[in-house]
Amino acid sequence: ILNVEQSPQSLHVQEGDSTNFTCSFPSSNFYALHWYRWETAKSPEALFVMTLNGDEKKKGRISATLNTKEGYSYLYIKGSQPEDSATYLCASLRTASKLTFGTGTRLQVTL
Amino acid sequence: NAGVTQTPKFRVLKTGQSMTLLCAQDMNHEYMYWYRQDPGMGLRLIHYSVGEGTTAKGEVPDGYNVSRLKKQNFLLGLESAAPSQTSVYFCASSYLGPGTQINTEAFFGQGTRLTVV
């Protein structure tokens, strides 16, 4: 993998559903993997910065895992709520300072 | 604490005109970035800076120039605007985590919507 790729592109779930997204990134020269949440008409805000293989991070109902050897990270949302509706971006830090983003997964949670 | 501030928020340019977008951060961050966001393309890195007086090219640098004369400011210039530069531009900053020498999360400005007609 040469670029940062995210799947799916978009997702529509019902309130209370749990869901997960995938971020694939180049595993060579790995420094860190970032996850951001981007609400419409706002700026992206960081959720997690992950650096170690096997890392797991959690913030409320949202958690993430990291596999640096195979170059993927999963973001999980447990019990989705309408306020979780946003675009979720991941970004790969491969050389010091150069942060490259994927195209994002757009999540819509309906009642 | 203002964080990252972009000026202007909106601008319409005619093809061939020039302009400068200003990004200012008050967090004493070393690293600053300019991204453009286009539908279906995500955030693409235009240029970035690892410190005052230094700049580097990102993924899509053509048609843009940058300067970082002061640590808190990162300027993005369009010398001769083209319709293909119609986009939303985001500035971001970050710093090295203590003891890790790895960038922390990026803090973003509110974006500048630029239309070139």
Side-chain angles (χ1 to χ4, degrees), chain A residues 34 36 38 43 46 97 99 101, chain B residues 31 33 35 103-106 109-110:
Chain A
H34 296 198
Y36 293 80
W38 193 1
S43 303
S97 315
L99 193 61
F101 283 83
Chain B
Y31 303 92
Y33 309 84
Y35 292 90
N103 295 65
T104 64
E105 70 267 29
Q110 73 276 38

Side-chain angles (χ1 to χ4, degrees), chain A residues 21 23 28 45 54 57 60 73 84 90 111:
Chain A
F21 326 132
C23 173
S28 60
E45 292 185 349
K57 300 248 179 176
S73 175
D84 295 328
C90 70
L111 297 170

Side-chain angles (χ1 to χ4, degrees), chain A residues 31-32 34 36 38 43-44 46 49 51 89 93 96-103, chain B residues 31 33 35 37 40-43 45 50 59 90 102-106 108-110:
Chain A
Y31 275 66
H34 296 198
Y36 293 80
W38 193 1
S43 303
V49 175
T51 57
L89 298 171
L93 190 68
S97 315
K98 191 174 179 181
L99 193 61
T100 303
F101 283 83
T103 54
Chain B
Y31 303 92
Y33 309 84
Y35 292 90
Q37 188 244 335
M41 304 290 284
L43 290 168
L45 183 62
V50 302
E59 304 167 70
F90 284 94
I102 294 174
N103 295 65
T104 64
E105 70 267 29
F108 283 83
Q110 73 276 38

Side-chain angles (χ1 to χ4, degrees), chain A residues 8-67:
Chain A
Q9 270 191 320
S10 63
L11 198 52
H12 191 161
V13 301
Q14 299 288 327
E15 182 181 14
D17 288 349
S18 293
T19 187
N20 64 84
F21 326 132
T22 303
C23 173
S24 301
F25 55 89
S27 54
S28 60
N29 301 317
F30 175 83
Y31 275 66
L33 192 283
H34 296 198
W35 280 102
Y36 293 80
R37 171 189 159 89
W38 193 1
E39 292 182 72
T40 303
K42 293 187 177 180
S43 303
E45 292 185 349
L47 288 170
F48 305 115
V49 175
M50 308 174 78
T51 57
L52 299 175
N53 186 44
D55 241 357
E56 291 188 27
K57 300 248 179 176
K58 187 174 182 181
K59 186 181 288 188
R61 293 179 291 98
I62 304 176
S63 61
T65 61
L66 179 68
N67 183 321

